[in-house]
Amino acid sequence: MSDLSNSVIFEKGEENPFGEFFVGKSYLNMLSTEGVVIGNVTFEPGCRNNWHIHKADKGGGQILLCTGGKGWYQEWGKPAQELNAGDVVHIPAGVKHWHGAAKDSWFVHIAVEVPGENTSSEWCEPVSDEEYNNL
């Protein structure tokens, strides 16, 4: 199982206050809440967030900057993509998706909330164990 001892850029922070929308344990370190909201998210092996949608009337969405470990990103109706340090994912507003760690690796990404008008997040159903275990 891989660890992140040589790839930690920012401290992992506290246990994620949005943990009810995750399978497994994750940690959140808010890096900025002014102008552009930026959070460093650390996922334990096997942890993933629920399907969710970043909503906005204009602009919005999210950018993931992968900084450590191995993870997954999937948009509804599309195959999952493996994520590794150095990968960048642009998630437009209105796209249902999930992201999280691989079964055997910690995973860290910086989540950048793209500014927009009337932005919000809609949390949906968990990614099933069957879906996840088939990756």
Side-chain angles (χ1 to χ4, degrees):
M1 184 174 305
S2 72
D3 69 39
L4 297 175
S5 59
N6 293 321
S7 63
V8 173
I9 297 171
F10 298 102
E11 292 297 319
K12 73 178 181 179
E14 302 298 322
E15 193 165 328
N16 196 328
F18 299 98
E20 68 187 285
F21 303 113
F22 287 70
V23 173
K25 192 177 286 187
S26 66
Y27 301 86
L28 178 62
N29 176 6
M30 292 307 299
L31 304 176
S32 174
T33 56
E34 296 180 28
V36 176
V37 176
I38 302 171
N40 184 75
V41 185
T42 302
F43 299 80
E44 70 178 6
C47 178
R48 69 263 188 195
N49 53 30
N50 289 4
W51 289 98
H52 60 285
I53 304 165
H54 302 286
K55 296 186 169 193
D57 290 343
K58 183 177 180 183
Q62 188 177 55
I63 300 169
L64 305 179
L65 306 172
C66 304
T67 59
K70 177 181 162 187
W72 294 101
Y73 167 77
Q74 185 175 17
E75 293 181 3
W76 189 260
K78 295 184 179 179
Q81 301 171 221
E82 183 178 311
L83 298 176
N84 294 284
D87 289 339
V88 177
V89 180
H90 294 269
I91 307 166
V95 173
K96 188 174 182 179
H97 66 283
W98 70 270
H99 34 103
K103 289 179 257 195
D104 60 351
S105 177
W106 285 82
F107 178 59
V108 183
H109 67 54
I110 295 172
V112 180
E113 291 186 25
V114 177
E117 294 178 9
N118 298 317
T119 60
S120 65
S121 294
E122 177 186 346
W123 290 99
C124 306
E125 69 276 10
V127 176
S128 73
D129 289 341
E130 183 180 351
E131 288 174 292
Y132 182 78
N133 290 330
N134 284 332
L135 297 174

